[in-house]
Amino acid sequence: MSKTIWIVVANRVTARIFAAESPLGAIDEIETLLHLQGRMLDENLVTDKPGRTTDRVGSGRSATDPDTSQHEHEATVFAAQIATTLTKARNDARYGTLVLAAPPAFLGALRKAIDAQTRSLVTLELDKDLAALDARALRARLPERLVRAEA
């Protein structure tokens, strides 16, 4: 298993993957994933009007709201794409430990999308949107030690 630590900073539009060779070391960006649909307005993502229902009494009709917004759907799609990338890299032994940083809602989507084996490699989670930071600024915002000390 690789000793490399991957740091994934993501939001619903961008996922940046950084690598560190030691828990106290510097980090370098190795990959960026983009999902531009996460930035679009709902009306640009959905071409149809909402469905319509007929009232039980009378002749009125009203629009129905979908159970999830299109932005939530796009976040789920992007989280699945990130999870696939992480699974493939794990299978290729490109990292041994994972750190995840994302806004709370997207972090939840990532947790749901990541498989159990990959999830077991996560040693640290931060519920913050750090995706716009460069490597030096990001490293300054992360804990000094990227993984928990082994007992």
Side-chain angles (χ1 to χ4, degrees), residues 18 28 30 57 61 65-66 70 86 88 96 100 126 128 133 149:
F18 296 84
D28 295 307
I30 59 171
V57 178
R61 292 185 58 180
D65 288 330
Q70 193 61 32
L86 294 176
K88 182 180 182 325
L100 300 177
L126 300 167
K128 297 178 182 179
L133 299 178

Side-chain angles (χ1 to χ4, degrees), residues 1-2 4-6 86-87 89-90 93-98 118 121:
M1 179 187 295
S2 175
T4 302
I5 302 162
W6 270 21
L86 294 176
T87 299
R90 177 183 48 80
R94 292 184 61 197
Y95 66 89
T97 305
L98 268 177
T118 303
L121 300 177

Side-chain angles (χ1 to χ4, degrees), residues 10-54:
N11 56 34
R12 66 182 191 200
V13 177
T14 306
R16 297 171 66 205
I17 301 171
F18 296 84
E21 296 304 320
S22 73
L24 299 170
I27 61 174
D28 295 307
E29 187 168 359
I30 59 171
E31 192 168 345
T32 300
L33 304 172
L34 295 175
H35 188 72
L36 298 180
Q37 293 87 340
R39 185 176 291 165
M40 297 175 81
L41 299 173
D42 274 342
E43 58 264 19
N44 294 335
L45 290 170
V46 180
T47 58
D48 293 340
K49 290 183 178 180
R52 305 204 44 94
T53 62
T54 305

Side-chain angles (χ1 to χ4, degrees), residues 76-91:
T76 302
V77 168
F78 191 39
Q81 179 186 351
I82 295 166
T84 299
T85 299
L86 294 176
T87 299
K88 182 180 182 325
R90 177 183 48 80
N91 289 336

